[in-house]
């Protein structure tokens, strides 16, 4: 995620992070809090693929739309997540994660 925040235009989308120097982002309570929220949405989405998962994504999609975060900005997370999966030894499941992300983004897009 920190690689996304290297550009001022992306960092500006996060009012809580705007004034935090890049070298202080890792471990900062506001960044950890947001990361936890992101992981919770992904967890809710995956757990509810057969039932309520789409609702979790729609809720966050409406939130993103309301604060002016574009659908395209959200899709910037994909390469970061794919890199992270590779770093933790899950690169063999890359195809499944690609499909899962595509579904996530399809649901997210319905909010715009």
């Amino acid at each position: 995620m920190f690689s996304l925040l290297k550009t001022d235009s992306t960092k500006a989308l996060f009012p809580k992070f705007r004034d935090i120097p890049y070298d202080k982002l890792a471990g900062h309570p506001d960044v950890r809090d947001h990361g936890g929220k992101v992981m919770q949405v992904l967890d809710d989405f995956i757990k509810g693929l057969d039932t309520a998962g789409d609702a979790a994504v729609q809720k966050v999609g409406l939130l993103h739309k309301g604060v002016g975060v574009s659908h395209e900005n959200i899709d910037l997370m994909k390469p970061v997540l794919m890199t992270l999966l590779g770093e933790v030894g899950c690169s063999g499941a890359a195809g499944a994660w690609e499909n899962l992300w595509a579904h996530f983004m399809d649901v997210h897009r319905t909010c715009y």
Side-chain angles (χ1 to χ4, degrees), residues 32-44:
R32 291 178 61 90
D33 180 59
H34 186 76
K37 290 176 183 174
V38 169
M39 296 311 297
Q40 186 62 57
V41 168
L42 290 174
D43 187 54
D44 291 347

Side-chain angles (χ1 to χ4, degrees), residues 94-109:
W97 280 99
E98 293 267 352
N99 291 337
L100 186 65
W101 185 257
H103 180 67
F104 180 94
M105 293 305 292
D106 286 344
V107 174
H108 193 274
R109 186 175 291 112

Side-chain angles (χ1 to χ4, degrees), residues 53-67:
D54 288 2
V57 178
Q58 289 167 337
K59 181 179 176 182
V60 79
L62 291 171
L63 174 82
H64 287 146
K65 182 180 178 185
V67 297

Side-chain angles (χ1 to χ4, degrees), residues 2 4-5 9 36 42 44 48 57 63 72 75 82 87 105:
F2 301 116
L4 290 175
L5 298 175
S9 60
L42 290 174
D44 291 347
V57 178
L63 174 82
E72 291 74 21
D75 205 27
M82 297 306 288
E87 289 173 0
M105 293 305 292

